[in-house]
């Protein structure tokens, strides 16, 4: 067990974690569409977000890592079979190469070991499946907009649930997506022919999980390895594999001052890491680097919560606060909203954490970041409504004035 006692040791852990997530280099995976393909293959998934306060999380995650990324590229990858849509710890886009590792959950739902919907209309599912087989793909709105019964059609809610159930069981896949309108088709017609469809053994699944998490996070906890997965057998298999590799000394444990224990590949604490620069990143609340809140707090001392699910009277920072990463520290959070009709980005609230940092450098980095972020939101102006750092208020207003 390696004990992390000094600030420079913790700083190295942070750099290892951020480098593994592709957040230290300006283009670790390349640019544009090809960069996006490489990014998701490395980080393992991109969570799909229904909230549209700013550009949706599944585009935002790519934007944070891939220069010249455009939101339309996500659906391009889906149409070309580079990625597929399914459940990870939440609804997500996943690399098509990992398709076989979605099969255990699909099998568990189809066999009744676990439930997506507790009550199923098998007759309706068979009818919908036959319709898709004979007539082609069905859009979700084809059933959502039929609010009254018609001959040969169905009530929208049961039909929508039937489609989702067949999608979760694996008979259907999402073949296209326009915003949040999904198109469902038979898996056999969507899945590229070269994709491995062999059910993985539990040992293969555990190996995949461990290797993937070490690759994309650099430093992992035992709990984080199977984050939000309720498969007891998988958790046992992952734990056994970790213990085996610890015994073989290909993995080692580190303990931070708060007591949390993490796992790293042996020698990774001595490897060469990218240098830090004075760049700020505005991250999504669903970004892969921040979604495991306990890990975020232990490594970065950043206590973060999505407050859109908190009653308004109890919110500290705002409805949809975005974490601000500067160098290797989360130094603030920004609650903002894109007013798309007038192409304006409103910073509703800006809060800086207590850090010993150069305010001039931070201000420059923030203005650069918000300028690019505005372009990503397709906004051509920005305003600041409130900041919690009163001594910086005037300075921030002055810095942002050219963007107003």
């Amino acid at each position: 067990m390696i004990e992390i006692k000094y600030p420079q040791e913790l700083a190295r852990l942070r750099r290892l974690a951020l480098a593994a997530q592709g957040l230290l280099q300006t283009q670790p995976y390349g640019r544009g569409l090809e960069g996006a393909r490489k990014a998701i293959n490395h980080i393992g998934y991109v969570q799909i977000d229904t909230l549209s306060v700013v550009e949706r999380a599944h585009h935002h995650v790519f934007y944070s890592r891939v220069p010249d990324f455009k939101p339309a590229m996500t659906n391009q990858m889906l149409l070309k079979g580079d990625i597929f849509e399914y459940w990870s710890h939440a609804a997500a886009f996943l690399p098509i190469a990992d398709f076989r590792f979605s099969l255990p959950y699909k099998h568990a739902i189809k066999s009744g070991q676990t439930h997506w919907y507790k009550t199923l209309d098998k007759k309706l599912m068979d009818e919908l499946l036959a319709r898709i087989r004979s007539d082609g793909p069905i859009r979700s709105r084809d059933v959502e907009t039929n609010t009254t019964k018609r001959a040969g059609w169905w009530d929208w809610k049961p039909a929508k649930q039937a489609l989702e159930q067949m999608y979760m069981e694996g008979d259907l896949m999402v073949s296209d997506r326009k915003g949040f309108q999904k198109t469902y088709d038979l898996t056999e017609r969507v899945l590229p022919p070269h994709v491995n469809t062999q059910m993985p053994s539990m040992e293969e699944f555990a190996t995949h999980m461990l290797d993937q998490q070490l690759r994309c996070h650099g430093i992992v906890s035992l709990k984080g390895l199977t984050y939000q997965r309720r498969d007891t057998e998988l958790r046992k298999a992952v734990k056994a594999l970790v213990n085996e590799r610890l015994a073989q000394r290909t993995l080692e444990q580190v303990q931070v001052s708060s007591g949390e224990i993490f796992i790293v590949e042996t020698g990774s604490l001595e490897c060469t890491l990218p240098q830090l620069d004075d760049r700020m990143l505005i991250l999504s609340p669903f970004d892969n680097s921040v979604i495991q809140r306990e890990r975020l707090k232990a490594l970065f001392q950043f206590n973060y919560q999505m407050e859109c699910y908190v009653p308004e009277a109890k919110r500290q920072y705002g409805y949809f606060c975005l974490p601000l990463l500067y160098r290797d520290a989360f130094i603030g959070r920004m609650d903002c909203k894109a007013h798309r009709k007038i192409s304006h980005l409103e910073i509703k609230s800006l809060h800086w954490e207590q850090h010993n940092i150069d305010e001039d450098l931070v201000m420059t980095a923030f203005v650069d970041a918000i300028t690019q972020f505005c372009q990503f939101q397709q906004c051509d102006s920005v305003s600041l409504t409130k900041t919690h750092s009163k001594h910086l208020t005037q300075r921030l207003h002055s810095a942002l004035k050219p963007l107003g």
Side-chain angles (χ1 to χ4, degrees):
M1 178 83 70
I2 301 171
E3 291 188 24
I4 303 300
K5 298 180 180 179
Y6 303 105
Q8 62 268 31
E9 294 175 329
L10 182 58
R12 185 159 186 81
L13 286 185
R14 290 175 171 176
R15 284 177 61 197
L16 178 63
L18 293 171
Q21 273 292 305
L23 295 175
L24 289 188
Q25 296 168 289
T26 55
Q27 46 179 316
Y29 312 110
R31 309 178 75 89
L33 185 59
E34 185 57 31
R37 288 192 192 102
K38 290 180 179 177
I40 194 169
N41 282 328
H42 179 84
I43 63 177
Y45 77 94
V46 172
Q47 185 169 337
I48 298 171
D49 177 24
T50 59
L51 298 170
S52 59
V53 181
V54 293
E55 186 60 69
R56 298 187 195 273
H58 41 282
H59 304 314
H60 194 162
V61 171
F62 284 117
Y63 159 79
S64 298
R65 294 160 173 81
V66 183
D68 298 332
F69 172 80
K70 302 292 187 292
M73 292 176 182
T74 306
N75 205 49
Q76 283 179 258
M77 290 188 287
L78 183 67
L79 291 171
K80 290 184 177 182
D82 298 318
I83 60 176
F84 72 105
E85 189 172 324
Y86 196 62
W87 198 260
S88 179
H89 72 269
F93 291 115
L94 301 152
I96 198 68
D98 292 347
F99 178 81
R100 66 188 295 239
F101 298 105
S102 70
L103 297 178
Y105 193 41
K106 291 171 180 173
H107 174 73
I109 293 173
K110 194 162 192 174
S111 65
Q113 297 172 40
T114 190
H115 299 283
W116 190 250
Y117 292 111
K118 290 186 177 179
T119 56
L120 304 177
D121 188 335
K122 292 285 191 182
K123 181 174 181 291
L124 177 56
M125 289 167 63
D126 289 342
E127 288 176 358
L128 276 167
L129 198 61
R131 155 101 186 225
I132 295 170
R133 192 177 302 279
S134 63
D135 296 352
I138 283 181
R139 297 172 299 177
S140 54
R141 75 178 184 183
D142 290 337
V143 295
E144 288 171 357
T145 55
N146 282 270
T147 55
T148 58
K149 278 191 174 181
R150 298 204 309 245
W153 202 241
W154 309 273
D155 286 333
W156 75 269
K157 187 174 181 180
K160 183 173 181 290
Q161 288 185 352
L163 285 174
E164 290 178 351
Q165 180 70 27
M166 290 188 289
Y167 159 72
M168 291 305 298
E169 289 184 3
D171 293 321
L172 300 180
M173 288 181 70
V174 174
S175 62
D176 193 5
R177 172 188 272 273
K178 298 289 189 295
F180 266 76
Q181 289 294 333
K182 295 180 284 190
T183 299
Y184 296 95
D185 200 356
L186 301 177
T187 292
E188 63 209 54
R189 294 203 292 236
V190 177
L191 198 62
H194 66 273
V195 174
N196 187 344
T197 57
Q198 184 179 4
M199 177 74 73
S201 67
M202 190 57 71
E203 291 73 20
E204 287 176 314
F205 199 2
T207 299
H208 167 72
M209 291 296 298
L210 178 55
D211 291 344
Q212 179 200 67
Q213 293 295 295
L214 286 168
R215 180 187 73 239
C216 70
H217 284 304
I219 171 170
V220 299
S221 67
L222 192 59
K223 181 179 179 180
L225 284 169
T226 53
Y227 177 70
Q228 295 285 20
R229 292 179 184 264
R230 295 175 175 83
D231 187 329
T232 302
E233 293 305 310
L234 177 61
R235 289 179 176 179
K236 287 179 180 177
V238 168
K239 184 176 182 179
L241 183 60
V242 167
N243 288 335
E244 179 184 326
R245 292 192 185 181
L246 286 171
Q248 294 169 346
R249 298 188 178 181
T250 57
L251 295 180
E252 54 190 356
Q253 293 178 313
V254 297
Q255 185 173 39
V256 297
S257 59
S258 56
E260 283 88 349
I261 295 173
F262 292 96
I263 302 155
V264 298
E265 291 183 303
T266 300
S268 61
L269 298 180
E270 289 78 43
C271 69
T272 302
L273 294 171
Q275 294 297 310
L276 299 174
D277 60 25
D278 295 316
R279 185 170 63 122
M280 183 176 292
L281 292 177
I282 300 168
L283 298 179
S284 166
F286 299 100
D287 194 276
N288 302 42
S289 65
V290 301
I291 199 66
Q292 294 186 33
R293 312 299 194 209
E294 292 178 13
R295 176 181 184 272
L296 183 65
K297 186 176 181 180
L299 281 180
F300 294 92
Q301 285 77 59
F302 189 60
N303 192 9
Y304 178 69
Q305 181 183 16
M306 279 267 311
E307 293 190 344
C308 57
Y309 304 121
V310 174
E312 186 173 359
K314 295 184 178 180
R315 291 176 194 151
Q316 285 184 277
Y317 304 108
Y319 178 82
F320 199 68
C321 273
L322 311 180
L324 303 178
L325 175 67
Y326 175 70
R327 294 175 66 85
D328 65 346
F330 288 90
I331 67 162
R333 52 196 98 199
M334 177 179 72
D335 183 35
C336 59
K337 178 178 175 61
H339 298 276
R340 294 180 177 85
K341 289 184 179 179
I342 58 173
S343 302
H344 180 75
L345 180 68
E346 178 191 5
I347 303 173
K348 300 166 77 70
S349 177
L350 183 62
H351 179 88
W352 302 107
E353 307 290 306
Q354 294 297 318
H355 281 281
N356 184 23
I357 50 180
D358 186 312
E359 287 183 359
D360 290 334
L361 293 176
V362 168
M363 201 68 60
T364 299
F366 177 70
V367 172
D368 287 346
I370 204 70
T371 301
Q372 295 175 47
F373 193 67
C374 266
Q375 295 170 359
F376 176 55
Q377 306 304 320
Q378 298 184 17
C379 292
D380 50 30
S381 63
V382 62
S383 62
L384 174 62
T385 303
K386 179 182 178 182
T387 176
H388 293 266
S389 304
K390 296 194 184 319
H391 73 289
L392 289 177
T393 300
Q394 187 56 49
R395 196 169 177 184
L396 283 163
H397 279 292
S398 298
L400 294 174
K401 191 172 182 180
L403 303 176

